Structures are given as C-alpha cells and as structure tokens.
Amino acid sequence: MPDPIASAVQQLKRLPGIGEKTATRLVYWMLNAQPGTAHAIAEALLGLEDGIHPCSQCCNLTSSDPCALCADPRRQHDTVCVVEHPQDILAFERSGEYRGRYHVLHGAIAPLDGIGPDQLRIRELLARLGGVSEVILATDPDVEGDATALYLGRLLQPLGVRVTRLAHGISVGTEIEYADAVSLARALQNRREL
Amino acid sequence: MPDPIASAVQQLKRLPGIGEKTATRLVYWMLNAQPGTAHAIAEALLGLEDGIHPCSQCCNLTSSDPCALCADPRRQHDTVCVVEHPQDILAFERSGEYRGRYHVLHGAIAPLDGIGPDQLRIRELLARLGGVSEVILATDPDVEGDATALYLGRLLQPLGVRVTRLAHGISVGTEIEYADAVSLARALQNRREL
C-alpha cells in the first residue's frame, strides 16, 4: 500500500466503528471519486477543530458565543434542561416539545473512569440558576446518568429550584411482547390514572 | 447545529455506507477526542489526493513511479495478473501466493454504466506484453467481470500469450450445506481428479 493511502487508512481507523476494511474501502472510494472530494472532506474536518468551542453560558458546542440557543430571545429563561452531551440537544430539538434552555455537562459521573462532579460542567450550571424555576435532569437512563441525576438533585433541591427527571417507560411504538424488562418495570412503577 | 459541525456532517455523509446518524456520531467523537485528532485525519486525507497517481506501467495507484511492485526486481516479469481495482492487489498480496506483476483496469466493461473497453486501461496492458508469457484474468466473478475476461481473452489469445482465468468454486471453510448455488455449480463443473 503506498504511504499516503496507508496513512489515510491508519487515520480513518481511529474513528469509532471503522476498522481496517471499512477505512480501506473509504480511502479507495475517495481516490475514485470526483477530484476535490477528499479535499472538501478534509477542509470540513479542519474547520471543525478551529471553529468550535463551548458556549460560555450553557457549555454546548458552538461556533458563536453565546450559542444560537442561548441567544434566542424566544426560548424560555426559567427552565433549564441538563443533558450529558451536545448531541442530546439535537434529539430534544427534533422532538419539538421543549422551548426552554439547555445545559451540557459533557459527561456523567463515572468513578471507574475517574470522572467525578468536578470534571463536569456543574459549577457553570450553579452560576446560571438566577431566574430559573425548573431544572429538568435529562441524563441518560443508565447507572452513570442516574447517579449524576441523583447527585444534581441533592445539590439543587436545597436551593429552592424545582428539579424534575425525564419519564422512563416503554417507548412509543414498542410492542409490549418485545419491550425490554427494565423499561417495562419502569413503565409499571410509573403508571398513571387514565 | 453550528455551521462547522453541520458542514463536517454534510461532508462525511458523502462517504459510502455513512448516513446522517453515523456522520453526526463521528463528528462529535472527533470534537471529544484529543486536540489534533480531526487535524491529523484531515491532513492524511489531503495527502491522499496530492500524493497518489496511477503507475505508468501497471496503472496501480501509487505515490512513486513506477510503483513499488513494478520496481521490485524479485517479481516475475513474465506473468501479469489483471485486476479490476487497486484494492484487489492487496487481496492477492495477502494470499502470499503470487510473485508476478499486476495490471489494474480501473473497472470492468459495463454497458449500462457507459463503461466500454476504451474506458479501461486495456491499451496500457497491450503495450507491456513484451516478454509476458501468461496473463491471469482476475476480474470479479460477476456479469461485468466475466464479460471483461471474455473480451480480454479474445483480444490476447491471438497474440500468442497464455491466458488463464482464476478458478471458481466453493471457498475454503465453506460448509457445503451453506454454499451458494452458483459457486457449488461452478465447483462441480470444474471438479478435478484426486
């Protein structure tokens, strides 16, 4: 394999879910594609690292400061939805159901990975609670996410702010026959009056 | 989504087998990775387009001319293995069974896609037949590959060169129960004396 091809394969292999075979296929596809294709992709990746930084208010990744969501006067100021990752915001925005602000922790408490509260953007969250009446804890429904929500709940409740957690249950469209056991158990525990 | 992120997603989506979701995941992975990761990947892709061109002898993609395989004096000069794509050479080299030269057609005859013999590197193949005693046709075992092999066979046999085609049959490790019908039929047709 010629050096430039080998090093492109080597670099693409670093991406998650892309092994040697896929990387090789992608590189030869780029070599076969219209001239300029690899360049255009490379330019976009270069722009990524230079143009993106955390928003000074919500810690979401942004190219402007404050980010478009924090700068939007139509978003409610009194509600903050706390998520683990910037891409979680995309999911909420796709749902079209939420009109408040966000706060990105950039992770969850995971002692085994050496991530404690100090490694998360919790200080930044506390600093912006003025005028906030509700904090929605939207960390992932796994061990780390639940631990983070528990920690934040204990931290925020004494400050007089309403703290809520996303509902867990079976997802819409799931056939009960195929629902996973944990979600079904949560759906039972959290059942509501008709 | 901030512009640099959106355009990186847009560019990665052009790659085969990578849709919007995977592209988004890759971009956020790069933003979370060690600083310099996206840069290193981008640099490798830039080097790809600038440093790679077809070898003047075998038409394999290379960063030197002639390519490492054509320049290697230990490779037999009298045998040429004709393949469709540069990456086919990697497969042969992995097998460790072949010590001759290669020739890359950069495609196969496919009238529906507008690819005729003139679009392939057949002229370059004819120009290097001096001193060649055998041409192995290693195009893919599909309609286009078979048509290309047939065409090349008719072209080369009158020139007094031995023309062979790769054996087709069931692959090593295949259980006969699960062998595909076409391969099994070929294995029967091409059966050999024990």
PDB file of all heavy atoms in Angstrom, chain A residues 156-192:
ATOM      1  N   LEU A 156     -29.363  20.589  44.016  1.00  0.00           N
ATOM      2  CA  LEU A 156     -30.219  21.691  43.557  1.00  0.00           C
ATOM      3  C   LEU A 156     -31.456  21.894  44.429  1.00  0.00           C
ATOM      4  O   LEU A 156     -31.900  23.031  44.614  1.00  0.00           O
ATOM      5  CB  LEU A 156     -30.656  21.443  42.104  1.00  0.00           C
ATOM      6  CG  LEU A 156     -29.525  21.379  41.078  1.00  0.00           C
ATOM      7  CD1 LEU A 156     -30.054  20.948  39.709  1.00  0.00           C
ATOM      8  CD2 LEU A 156     -28.839  22.751  40.957  1.00  0.00           C
ATOM      9  N   GLN A 157     -32.007  20.781  44.976  1.00  0.00           N
ATOM     10  CA  GLN A 157     -33.259  20.914  45.723  1.00  0.00           C
ATOM     11  C   GLN A 157     -33.155  21.899  46.891  1.00  0.00           C
ATOM     12  O   GLN A 157     -34.064  22.722  47.080  1.00  0.00           O
ATOM     13  CB  GLN A 157     -33.759  19.541  46.185  1.00  0.00           C
ATOM     14  CG  GLN A 157     -34.671  18.899  45.142  1.00  0.00           C
ATOM     15  CD  GLN A 157     -34.696  17.399  45.193  1.00  0.00           C
ATOM     16  OE1 GLN A 157     -33.856  16.789  45.846  1.00  0.00           O
ATOM     17  NE2 GLN A 157     -35.649  16.797  44.510  1.00  0.00           N
ATOM     18  N   PRO A 158     -32.050  21.892  47.691  1.00  0.00           N
ATOM     19  CA  PRO A 158     -31.952  22.863  48.799  1.00  0.00           C
ATOM     20  C   PRO A 158     -31.937  24.310  48.318  1.00  0.00           C
ATOM     21  O   PRO A 158     -32.183  25.219  49.092  1.00  0.00           O
ATOM     22  CB  PRO A 158     -30.606  22.510  49.461  1.00  0.00           C
ATOM     23  CG  PRO A 158     -30.314  21.121  49.036  1.00  0.00           C
ATOM     24  CD  PRO A 158     -30.900  20.971  47.675  1.00  0.00           C
ATOM     25  N   LEU A 159     -31.665  24.546  47.027  1.00  0.00           N
ATOM     26  CA  LEU A 159     -31.599  25.921  46.524  1.00  0.00           C
ATOM     27  C   LEU A 159     -32.980  26.445  46.154  1.00  0.00           C
ATOM     28  O   LEU A 159     -33.111  27.548  45.623  1.00  0.00           O
ATOM     29  CB  LEU A 159     -30.676  25.981  45.293  1.00  0.00           C
ATOM     30  CG  LEU A 159     -29.252  25.428  45.515  1.00  0.00           C
ATOM     31  CD1 LEU A 159     -28.452  25.468  44.228  1.00  0.00           C
ATOM     32  CD2 LEU A 159     -28.542  26.232  46.610  1.00  0.00           C
ATOM     33  N   GLY A 160     -34.021  25.630  46.390  1.00  0.00           N
ATOM     34  CA  GLY A 160     -35.376  26.108  46.159  1.00  0.00           C
ATOM     35  C   GLY A 160     -35.818  26.045  44.714  1.00  0.00           C
ATOM     36  O   GLY A 160     -36.832  26.643  44.340  1.00  0.00           O
ATOM     37  N   VAL A 161     -35.102  25.324  43.874  1.00  0.00           N
ATOM     38  CA  VAL A 161     -35.495  25.199  42.475  1.00  0.00           C
ATOM     39  C   VAL A 161     -36.206  23.853  42.287  1.00  0.00           C
ATOM     40  O   VAL A 161     -35.857  22.872  42.936  1.00  0.00           O
ATOM     41  CB  VAL A 161     -34.261  25.351  41.560  1.00  0.00           C
ATOM     42  CG1 VAL A 161     -33.247  24.244  41.794  1.00  0.00           C
ATOM     43  CG2 VAL A 161     -34.668  25.397  40.104  1.00  0.00           C
ATOM     44  N   ARG A 162     -37.238  23.843  41.423  1.00  0.00           N
ATOM     45  CA  ARG A 162     -37.948  22.593  41.149  1.00  0.00           C
ATOM     46  C   ARG A 162     -37.052  21.714  40.287  1.00  0.00           C
ATOM     47  O   ARG A 162     -36.518  22.161  39.269  1.00  0.00           O
ATOM     48  CB  ARG A 162     -39.239  22.918  40.395  1.00  0.00           C
ATOM     49  CG  ARG A 162     -40.119  21.702  40.190  1.00  0.00           C
ATOM     50  CD  ARG A 162     -41.413  22.102  39.458  1.00  0.00           C
ATOM     51  NE  ARG A 162     -42.114  20.909  39.030  1.00  0.00           N
ATOM     52  CZ  ARG A 162     -42.817  20.803  37.916  1.00  0.00           C
ATOM     53  NH1 ARG A 162     -42.924  21.840  37.102  1.00  0.00           N
ATOM     54  NH2 ARG A 162     -43.408  19.671  37.605  1.00  0.00           N
ATOM     55  N   VAL A 163     -36.848  20.460  40.719  1.00  0.00           N
ATOM     56  CA  VAL A 163     -35.975  19.545  39.987  1.00  0.00           C
ATOM     57  C   VAL A 163     -36.805  18.375  39.485  1.00  0.00           C
ATOM     58  O   VAL A 163     -37.470  17.698  40.278  1.00  0.00           O
ATOM     59  CB  VAL A 163     -34.824  19.031  40.877  1.00  0.00           C
ATOM     60  CG1 VAL A 163     -33.909  18.099  40.071  1.00  0.00           C
ATOM     61  CG2 VAL A 163     -34.019  20.198  41.435  1.00  0.00           C
ATOM     62  N   THR A 164     -36.807  18.139  38.172  1.00  0.00           N
ATOM     63  CA  THR A 164     -37.571  17.018  37.610  1.00  0.00           C
ATOM     64  C   THR A 164     -36.637  16.116  36.812  1.00  0.00           C
ATOM     65  O   THR A 164     -35.523  16.493  36.462  1.00  0.00           O
ATOM     66  CB  THR A 164     -38.689  17.518  36.684  1.00  0.00           C
ATOM     67  OG1 THR A 164     -38.092  18.331  35.661  1.00  0.00           O
ATOM     68  CG2 THR A 164     -39.725  18.322  37.434  1.00  0.00           C
ATOM     69  N   ARG A 165     -37.129  14.876  36.570  1.00  0.00           N
ATOM     70  CA  ARG A 165     -36.343  13.917  35.797  1.00  0.00           C
ATOM     71  C   ARG A 165     -37.225  13.448  34.653  1.00  0.00           C
ATOM     72  O   ARG A 165     -38.445  13.332  34.814  1.00  0.00           O
ATOM     73  CB  ARG A 165     -35.964  12.737  36.717  1.00  0.00           C
ATOM     74  CG  ARG A 165     -35.138  11.629  36.061  1.00  0.00           C
ATOM     75  CD  ARG A 165     -33.711  11.666  36.550  1.00  0.00           C
ATOM     76  NE  ARG A 165     -32.905  10.514  36.099  1.00  0.00           N
ATOM     77  CZ  ARG A 165     -32.237  10.488  34.955  1.00  0.00           C
ATOM     78  NH1 ARG A 165     -32.293  11.506  34.138  1.00  0.00           N
ATOM     79  NH2 ARG A 165     -31.507   9.439  34.642  1.00  0.00           N
ATOM     80  N   LEU A 166     -36.657  13.144  33.502  1.00  0.00           N
ATOM     81  CA  LEU A 166     -37.431  12.636  32.369  1.00  0.00           C
ATOM     82  C   LEU A 166     -38.163  11.367  32.778  1.00  0.00           C
ATOM     83  O   LEU A 166     -37.641  10.563  33.540  1.00  0.00           O
ATOM     84  CB  LEU A 166     -36.507  12.301  31.199  1.00  0.00           C
ATOM     85  CG  LEU A 166     -35.951  13.425  30.339  1.00  0.00           C
ATOM     86  CD1 LEU A 166     -35.293  12.818  29.113  1.00  0.00           C
ATOM     87  CD2 LEU A 166     -37.035  14.398  29.923  1.00  0.00           C
ATOM     88  N   ALA A 167     -39.375  11.152  32.219  1.00  0.00           N
ATOM     89  CA  ALA A 167     -40.117   9.924  32.484  1.00  0.00           C
ATOM     90  C   ALA A 167     -39.456   8.754  31.771  1.00  0.00           C
ATOM     91  O   ALA A 167     -38.970   8.887  30.652  1.00  0.00           O
ATOM     92  CB  ALA A 167     -41.552  10.082  31.999  1.00  0.00           C
ATOM     93  N   HIS A 168     -39.417   7.616  32.446  1.00  0.00           N
ATOM     94  CA  HIS A 168     -38.925   6.391  31.809  1.00  0.00           C
ATOM     95  C   HIS A 168     -40.067   5.408  31.676  1.00  0.00           C
ATOM     96  O   HIS A 168     -40.907   5.301  32.555  1.00  0.00           O
ATOM     97  CB  HIS A 168     -37.797   5.767  32.624  1.00  0.00           C
ATOM     98  CG  HIS A 168     -36.593   6.638  32.713  1.00  0.00           C
ATOM     99  ND1 HIS A 168     -35.921   6.866  33.866  1.00  0.00           N
ATOM    100  CD2 HIS A 168     -35.979   7.363  31.765  1.00  0.00           C
ATOM    101  CE1 HIS A 168     -34.923   7.695  33.637  1.00  0.00           C
ATOM    102  NE2 HIS A 168     -34.935   8.011  32.363  1.00  0.00           N
ATOM    103  N   GLY A 169     -40.110   4.681  30.606  1.00  0.00           N
ATOM    104  CA  GLY A 169     -41.159   3.684  30.383  1.00  0.00           C
ATOM    105  C   GLY A 169     -40.911   3.025  29.044  1.00  0.00           C
ATOM    106  O   GLY A 169     -39.810   3.115  28.509  1.00  0.00           O
ATOM    107  N   ILE A 170     -41.934   2.375  28.501  1.00  0.00           N
ATOM    108  CA  ILE A 170     -41.729   1.766  27.184  1.00  0.00           C
ATOM    109  C   ILE A 170     -41.844   2.853  26.131  1.00  0.00           C
ATOM    110  O   ILE A 170     -42.611   3.801  26.273  1.00  0.00           O
ATOM    111  CB  ILE A 170     -42.743   0.634  26.903  1.00  0.00           C
ATOM    112  CG1 ILE A 170     -44.171   1.128  27.121  1.00  0.00           C
ATOM    113  CG2 ILE A 170     -42.458  -0.553  27.807  1.00  0.00           C
ATOM    114  CD1 ILE A 170     -45.205   0.090  26.710  1.00  0.00           C
ATOM    115  N   SER A 171     -41.017   2.762  25.084  1.00  0.00           N
ATOM    116  CA  SER A 171     -41.038   3.812  24.068  1.00  0.00           C
ATOM    117  C   SER A 171     -42.254   3.637  23.170  1.00  0.00           C
ATOM    118  O   SER A 171     -42.776   2.533  23.011  1.00  0.00           O
ATOM    119  CB  SER A 171     -39.748   3.804  23.249  1.00  0.00           C
ATOM    120  OG  SER A 171     -39.335   2.502  22.969  1.00  0.00           O
ATOM    121  N   VAL A 172     -42.688   4.763  22.588  1.00  0.00           N
ATOM    122  CA  VAL A 172     -43.862   4.758  21.725  1.00  0.00           C
ATOM    123  C   VAL A 172     -43.584   3.883  20.511  1.00  0.00           C
ATOM    124  O   VAL A 172     -42.518   3.990  19.895  1.00  0.00           O
ATOM    125  CB  VAL A 172     -44.198   6.196  21.289  1.00  0.00           C
ATOM    126  CG1 VAL A 172     -45.394   6.206  20.349  1.00  0.00           C
ATOM    127  CG2 VAL A 172     -44.452   7.057  22.509  1.00  0.00           C
ATOM    128  N   GLY A 173     -44.503   2.998  20.171  1.00  0.00           N
ATOM    129  CA  GLY A 173     -44.290   2.124  19.027  1.00  0.00           C
ATOM    130  C   GLY A 173     -43.765   0.756  19.426  1.00  0.00           C
ATOM    131  O   GLY A 173     -43.736  -0.154  18.608  1.00  0.00           O
ATOM    132  N   THR A 174     -43.309   0.627  20.687  1.00  0.00           N
ATOM    133  CA  THR A 174     -42.813  -0.671  21.145  1.00  0.00           C
ATOM    134  C   THR A 174     -43.972  -1.638  21.338  1.00  0.00           C
ATOM    135  O   THR A 174     -44.994  -1.278  21.916  1.00  0.00           O
ATOM    136  CB  THR A 174     -42.096  -0.517  22.503  1.00  0.00           C
ATOM    137  OG1 THR A 174     -41.028   0.392  22.337  1.00  0.00           O
ATOM    138  CG2 THR A 174     -41.568  -1.850  23.010  1.00  0.00           C
ATOM    139  N   GLU A 175     -43.843  -2.871  20.856  1.00  0.00           N
ATOM    140  CA  GLU A 175     -44.827  -3.883  21.203  1.00  0.00           C
ATOM    141  C   GLU A 175     -44.423  -4.457  22.557  1.00  0.00           C
ATOM    142  O   GLU A 175     -43.249  -4.754  22.784  1.00  0.00           O
ATOM    143  CB  GLU A 175     -44.848  -4.980  20.147  1.00  0.00           C
ATOM    144  CG  GLU A 175     -45.390  -4.456  18.815  1.00  0.00           C
ATOM    145  CD  GLU A 175     -45.479  -5.543  17.777  1.00  0.00           C
ATOM    146  OE1 GLU A 175     -46.115  -6.570  18.071  1.00  0.00           O
ATOM    147  OE2 GLU A 175     -44.911  -5.378  16.702  1.00  0.00           O
ATOM    148  N   ILE A 176     -45.399  -4.591  23.443  1.00  0.00           N
ATOM    149  CA  ILE A 176     -45.091  -4.994  24.814  1.00  0.00           C
ATOM    150  C   ILE A 176     -44.337  -6.323  24.833  1.00  0.00           C
ATOM    151  O   ILE A 176     -43.417  -6.527  25.625  1.00  0.00           O
ATOM    152  CB  ILE A 176     -46.391  -5.066  25.636  1.00  0.00           C
ATOM    153  CG1 ILE A 176     -46.892  -3.626  25.825  1.00  0.00           C
ATOM    154  CG2 ILE A 176     -46.184  -5.754  26.979  1.00  0.00           C
ATOM    155  CD1 ILE A 176     -48.110  -3.486  26.665  1.00  0.00           C
ATOM    156  N   GLU A 177     -44.706  -7.218  23.908  1.00  0.00           N
ATOM    157  CA  GLU A 177     -44.034  -8.516  23.797  1.00  0.00           C
ATOM    158  C   GLU A 177     -42.517  -8.356  23.690  1.00  0.00           C
ATOM    159  O   GLU A 177     -41.762  -9.179  24.194  1.00  0.00           O
ATOM    160  CB  GLU A 177     -44.580  -9.223  22.541  1.00  0.00           C
ATOM    161  CG  GLU A 177     -43.950 -10.563  22.257  1.00  0.00           C
ATOM    162  CD  GLU A 177     -44.541 -11.197  20.998  1.00  0.00           C
ATOM    163  OE1 GLU A 177     -45.485 -10.620  20.420  1.00  0.00           O
ATOM    164  OE2 GLU A 177     -44.044 -12.258  20.605  1.00  0.00           O
ATOM    165  N   TYR A 178     -42.075  -7.298  23.011  1.00  0.00           N
ATOM    166  CA  TYR A 178     -40.643  -7.148  22.748  1.00  0.00           C
ATOM    167  C   TYR A 178     -39.985  -6.079  23.616  1.00  0.00           C
ATOM    168  O   TYR A 178     -38.796  -5.782  23.446  1.00  0.00           O
ATOM    169  CB  TYR A 178     -40.421  -6.808  21.272  1.00  0.00           C
ATOM    170  CG  TYR A 178     -40.970  -7.878  20.363  1.00  0.00           C
ATOM    171  CD1 TYR A 178     -42.029  -7.617  19.506  1.00  0.00           C
ATOM    172  CD2 TYR A 178     -40.434  -9.159  20.383  1.00  0.00           C
ATOM    173  CE1 TYR A 178     -42.554  -8.603  18.683  1.00  0.00           C
ATOM    174  CE2 TYR A 178     -40.946 -10.150  19.565  1.00  0.00           C
ATOM    175  CZ  TYR A 178     -42.002  -9.871  18.724  1.00  0.00           C
ATOM    176  OH  TYR A 178     -42.513 -10.857  17.915  1.00  0.00           O
ATOM    177  N   ALA A 179     -40.748  -5.475  24.552  1.00  0.00           N
ATOM    178  CA  ALA A 179     -40.184  -4.424  25.397  1.00  0.00           C
ATOM    179  C   ALA A 179     -39.118  -5.033  26.305  1.00  0.00           C
ATOM    180  O   ALA A 179     -39.265  -6.164  26.780  1.00  0.00           O
ATOM    181  CB  ALA A 179     -41.289  -3.782  26.224  1.00  0.00           C
ATOM    182  N   ASP A 180     -38.035  -4.284  26.564  1.00  0.00           N
ATOM    183  CA  ASP A 180     -37.020  -4.832  27.465  1.00  0.00           C
ATOM    184  C   ASP A 180     -37.530  -4.785  28.897  1.00  0.00           C
ATOM    185  O   ASP A 180     -38.369  -3.950  29.262  1.00  0.00           O
ATOM    186  CB  ASP A 180     -35.696  -4.076  27.311  1.00  0.00           C
ATOM    187  CG  ASP A 180     -35.770  -2.672  27.826  1.00  0.00           C
ATOM    188  OD1 ASP A 180     -36.418  -1.831  27.162  1.00  0.00           O
ATOM    189  OD2 ASP A 180     -35.200  -2.401  28.893  1.00  0.00           O
ATOM    190  N   ALA A 181     -37.025  -5.708  29.710  1.00  0.00           N
ATOM    191  CA  ALA A 181     -37.558  -5.932  31.052  1.00  0.00           C
ATOM    192  C   ALA A 181     -37.467  -4.692  31.920  1.00  0.00           C
ATOM    193  O   ALA A 181     -38.418  -4.351  32.653  1.00  0.00           O
ATOM    194  CB  ALA A 181     -36.805  -7.100  31.709  1.00  0.00           C
ATOM    195  N   VAL A 182     -36.342  -3.977  31.852  1.00  0.00           N
ATOM    196  CA  VAL A 182     -36.145  -2.820  32.731  1.00  0.00           C
ATOM    197  C   VAL A 182     -37.129  -1.707  32.382  1.00  0.00           C
ATOM    198  O   VAL A 182     -37.749  -1.112  33.268  1.00  0.00           O
ATOM    199  CB  VAL A 182     -34.687  -2.323  32.620  1.00  0.00           C
ATOM    200  CG1 VAL A 182     -34.464  -1.139  33.540  1.00  0.00           C
ATOM    201  CG2 VAL A 182     -33.716  -3.443  32.958  1.00  0.00           C
ATOM    202  N   SER A 183     -37.298  -1.448  31.072  1.00  0.00           N
ATOM    203  CA  SER A 183     -38.224  -0.390  30.672  1.00  0.00           C
ATOM    204  C   SER A 183     -39.645  -0.745  31.063  1.00  0.00           C
ATOM    205  O   SER A 183     -40.417   0.123  31.493  1.00  0.00           O
ATOM    206  CB  SER A 183     -38.152  -0.178  29.147  1.00  0.00           C
ATOM    207  OG  SER A 183     -36.872   0.231  28.773  1.00  0.00           O
ATOM    208  N   LEU A 184     -39.996  -2.018  30.932  1.00  0.00           N
ATOM    209  CA  LEU A 184     -41.352  -2.446  31.281  1.00  0.00           C
ATOM    210  C   LEU A 184     -41.570  -2.301  32.788  1.00  0.00           C
ATOM    211  O   LEU A 184     -42.639  -1.849  33.239  1.00  0.00           O
ATOM    212  CB  LEU A 184     -41.564  -3.897  30.829  1.00  0.00           C
ATOM    213  CG  LEU A 184     -43.004  -4.353  30.677  1.00  0.00           C
ATOM    214  CD1 LEU A 184     -43.785  -3.420  29.756  1.00  0.00           C
ATOM    215  CD2 LEU A 184     -43.064  -5.777  30.137  1.00  0.00           C
ATOM    216  N   ALA A 185     -40.556  -2.644  33.589  1.00  0.00           N
ATOM    217  CA  ALA A 185     -40.651  -2.483  35.037  1.00  0.00           C
ATOM    218  C   ALA A 185     -40.852  -1.016  35.399  1.00  0.00           C
ATOM    219  O   ALA A 185     -41.714  -0.664  36.214  1.00  0.00           O
ATOM    220  CB  ALA A 185     -39.390  -3.034  35.700  1.00  0.00           C
ATOM    221  N   ARG A 186     -40.093  -0.122  34.740  1.00  0.00           N
ATOM    222  CA  ARG A 186     -40.231   1.315  34.995  1.00  0.00           C
ATOM    223  C   ARG A 186     -41.613   1.805  34.571  1.00  0.00           C
ATOM    224  O   ARG A 186     -42.215   2.656  35.238  1.00  0.00           O
ATOM    225  CB  ARG A 186     -39.175   2.105  34.212  1.00  0.00           C
ATOM    226  CG  ARG A 186     -37.749   1.841  34.641  1.00  0.00           C
ATOM    227  CD  ARG A 186     -37.366   2.747  35.813  1.00  0.00           C
ATOM    228  NE  ARG A 186     -35.926   2.715  35.970  1.00  0.00           N
ATOM    229  CZ  ARG A 186     -35.134   3.784  35.850  1.00  0.00           C
ATOM    230  NH1 ARG A 186     -35.654   4.963  35.593  1.00  0.00           N
ATOM    231  NH2 ARG A 186     -33.844   3.686  36.007  1.00  0.00           N
ATOM    232  N   ALA A 187     -42.108   1.277  33.450  1.00  0.00           N
ATOM    233  CA  ALA A 187     -43.421   1.696  32.955  1.00  0.00           C
ATOM    234  C   ALA A 187     -44.508   1.307  33.954  1.00  0.00           C
ATOM    235  O   ALA A 187     -45.488   2.036  34.143  1.00  0.00           O
ATOM    236  CB  ALA A 187     -43.700   1.068  31.596  1.00  0.00           C
ATOM    237  N   LEU A 188     -44.335   0.158  34.587  1.00  0.00           N
ATOM    238  CA  LEU A 188     -45.295  -0.286  35.606  1.00  0.00           C
ATOM    239  C   LEU A 188     -45.220   0.613  36.841  1.00  0.00           C
ATOM    240  O   LEU A 188     -46.242   1.091  37.341  1.00  0.00           O
ATOM    241  CB  LEU A 188     -44.991  -1.727  36.010  1.00  0.00           C
ATOM    242  CG  LEU A 188     -45.873  -2.805  35.396  1.00  0.00           C
ATOM    243  CD1 LEU A 188     -45.366  -4.179  35.796  1.00  0.00           C
ATOM    244  CD2 LEU A 188     -47.332  -2.634  35.837  1.00  0.00           C
ATOM    245  N   GLN A 189     -43.984   0.821  37.333  1.00  0.00           N
ATOM    246  CA  GLN A 189     -43.780   1.651  38.529  1.00  0.00           C
ATOM    247  C   GLN A 189     -44.355   3.053  38.327  1.00  0.00           C
ATOM    248  O   GLN A 189     -44.911   3.650  39.238  1.00  0.00           O
ATOM    249  CB  GLN A 189     -42.289   1.756  38.855  1.00  0.00           C
ATOM    250  CG  GLN A 189     -41.664   0.484  39.409  1.00  0.00           C
ATOM    251  CD  GLN A 189     -40.164   0.428  39.148  1.00  0.00           C
ATOM    252  OE1 GLN A 189     -39.542   1.438  38.825  1.00  0.00           O
ATOM    253  NE2 GLN A 189     -39.570  -0.746  39.301  1.00  0.00           N
ATOM    254  N   ASN A 190     -44.211   3.595  37.128  1.00  0.00           N
ATOM    255  CA  ASN A 190     -44.611   4.977  36.865  1.00  0.00           C
ATOM    256  C   ASN A 190     -45.984   5.064  36.212  1.00  0.00           C
ATOM    257  O   ASN A 190     -46.305   6.066  35.584  1.00  0.00           O
ATOM    258  CB  ASN A 190     -43.580   5.657  35.958  1.00  0.00           C
ATOM    259  CG  ASN A 190     -42.195   5.657  36.573  1.00  0.00           C
ATOM    260  OD1 ASN A 190     -42.059   5.698  37.789  1.00  0.00           O
ATOM    261  ND2 ASN A 190     -41.177   5.602  35.740  1.00  0.00           N
ATOM    262  N   ARG A 191     -46.831   4.025  36.349  1.00  0.00           N
ATOM    263  CA  ARG A 191     -48.133   4.036  35.674  1.00  0.00           C
ATOM    264  C   ARG A 191     -48.997   5.178  36.187  1.00  0.00           C
ATOM    265  O   ARG A 191     -48.873   5.596  37.344  1.00  0.00           O
ATOM    266  CB  ARG A 191     -48.831   2.683  35.852  1.00  0.00           C
ATOM    267  CG  ARG A 191     -49.248   2.354  37.262  1.00  0.00           C
ATOM    268  CD  ARG A 191     -49.655   0.894  37.337  1.00  0.00           C
ATOM    269  NE  ARG A 191     -50.141   0.529  38.673  1.00  0.00           N
ATOM    270  CZ  ARG A 191     -49.320   0.207  39.689  1.00  0.00           C
ATOM    271  NH1 ARG A 191     -48.008   0.217  39.544  1.00  0.00           N
ATOM    272  NH2 ARG A 191     -49.836  -0.119  40.869  1.00  0.00           N
ATOM    273  N   ARG A 192     -49.894   5.699  35.317  1.00  0.00           N
ATOM    274  CA  ARG A 192     -50.715   6.859  35.657  1.00  0.00           C
ATOM    275  C   ARG A 192     -52.193   6.523  35.532  1.00  0.00           C
ATOM    276  O   ARG A 192     -52.578   5.625  34.786  1.00  0.00           O
ATOM    277  CB  ARG A 192     -50.384   8.028  34.717  1.00  0.00           C
ATOM    278  CG  ARG A 192     -48.899   8.353  34.672  1.00  0.00           C
ATOM    279  CD  ARG A 192     -48.657   9.592  33.841  1.00  0.00           C
ATOM    280  NE  ARG A 192     -49.402   9.566  32.578  1.00  0.00           N
ATOM    281  CZ  ARG A 192     -49.769  10.644  31.911  1.00  0.00           C
ATOM    282  NH1 ARG A 192     -49.458  11.837  32.381  1.00  0.00           N
ATOM    283  NH2 ARG A 192     -50.431  10.544  30.781  1.00  0.00           N
TER     284      ARG A 192
END
